[in-house]
Amino acid sequence: MSRFSRLGNDLYTGRRSIDFVGRRRLWYSISGLILVLSLLGLQVRGLDMGIEFVGGSEYKVSLPADQVTQQTADDVRAAVAGTGIPNAAAPVVTTSGNEAVLVQTQPLTPQETTEVIDAILATTGATNDDISTSEIGPSWGKQVAQRSLIGLSVFLVLVVLLIWGYFREWKMSVAAIVALAHDVLITIGIYAWTGFEVTPATVTGLLTILGFSLYDTVVVFDKVRENTKNLRRSHQTYAEAANLAVNQTLVRSINTSIVALIPVGAILYVSVVQLGSGALKDLALALFVGMAAGAYSSIFIATPLLAQLKSRESEIKLSDKRARTRQRHDADRYASVPVFTEDMPIAEEPGAAPAAQAAPVAPVAPGRPQPTLGSGRVAPPPRSEVRQSPSSGRAQPTRQSRAKRGKK
């Protein structure tokens, strides 16, 4: 645990960094492959819609309280599936309080209904008076689906407006919506490949995972906004600041996802292995897949997509160019010093004051005295050897005030 804490601290401070934004093509490829498999599952296998959506038959068997148990439900499920009827191959058997057992199948013919009733009565020991049959039409399921689509549309519109109003950035709204669509499509694809029945509980689970995915994405975006508030001072490009934000929230996202997935996974295991079927299984699968996909999309999809959209802005391009120039200068301060070559022009020492240029000297005829440089006069030739002057021992004038002259 201490190593994990140190890793989280290193990721937050930037001493360690995982390049999520720079490798966005890899993450896009992985997500694209998963989405293709999900769409392929919808095309090949399709969704197994529950009787609430397509209609079906429901059988209610009244039994004593001591017989209304999960064992009885499992026995009834096996007996109905053993009849060999295609529409009754995967019945939904649940207990209704302490009074009855409910059996739901797809629409059956009268002869098939008789076979199913006989299998139920033989298994439970009940009589014809203890069982009731009812037909469920698809109208209620259609109303649920229609209202769910309306709720989903309103939710997406409110999400776009909320993120745009909070972050003042419509590109964040686009990235968040893409991440939500990514999570929903993956969850639907998993349902198609696993053959789990789609019930109103499944719709509830889908709506729930939208909120979870959005919550995780907004947390990462808030850190991105904090890191990119003043790019001049941080000397980072927008992509680098966004990648740092993902690393800083990575441990938090992992911890939150694990804490949420453990109880949902336990519910999924119990509902599939022990209970066998029911609304609890449908809800748990949607939550488990959606939460895992939401944690993935907020890190690998939403933030890299946001950085890609922002990189097309002219202001961000200029800021990134300044940051790269600054980084090259900080990495090697002498990288801009030119390399010496023989044909380079002679210049002054870098940093030295420019020297005064001497006036050009005119050519002098042979035998004439040479002029002194910079004086503009001609120095006369010496007549004799230079000796020490007799006045060298005299007192030389000094720069003193008149009151102090001649005083010792």
Side-chain angles (χ1 to χ4, degrees), residues 75-76 79 115-127:
D75 295 340
V76 171
E115 294 182 16
V116 169
I117 292 176
D118 293 341
I120 295 174
L121 296 179
T123 304
T124 58
T127 62

Side-chain angles (χ1 to χ4, degrees), residues 303-315:
T303 307
L305 179 59
L306 172 63
Q308 183 178 3
L309 294 176
K310 292 289 291 183
S311 63
R312 300 177 181 178
E313 298 181 2
S314 57
E315 183 179 354

Side-chain angles (χ1 to χ4, degrees), residues 277-290:
S277 62
L280 189 62
K281 176 191 67 174
D282 305 327
L283 178 63
L285 179 63
L287 289 178
F288 188 85
V289 177

Side-chain angles (χ1 to χ4, degrees), residues 358-366 368-378:
V361 180
V364 182
R368 299 288 299 273
Q370 297 292 334
T372 58
L373 297 177
S375 64
R377 297 179 300 171
V378 178

Side-chain angles (χ1 to χ4, degrees), residues 184-205:
V184 173
L185 287 176
I186 290 179
T187 305
I188 295 176
I190 294 296
Y191 262 86
W193 282 111
T194 56
F196 275 43
E197 193 175 44
V198 178
T199 63
T202 305
V203 178
T204 304

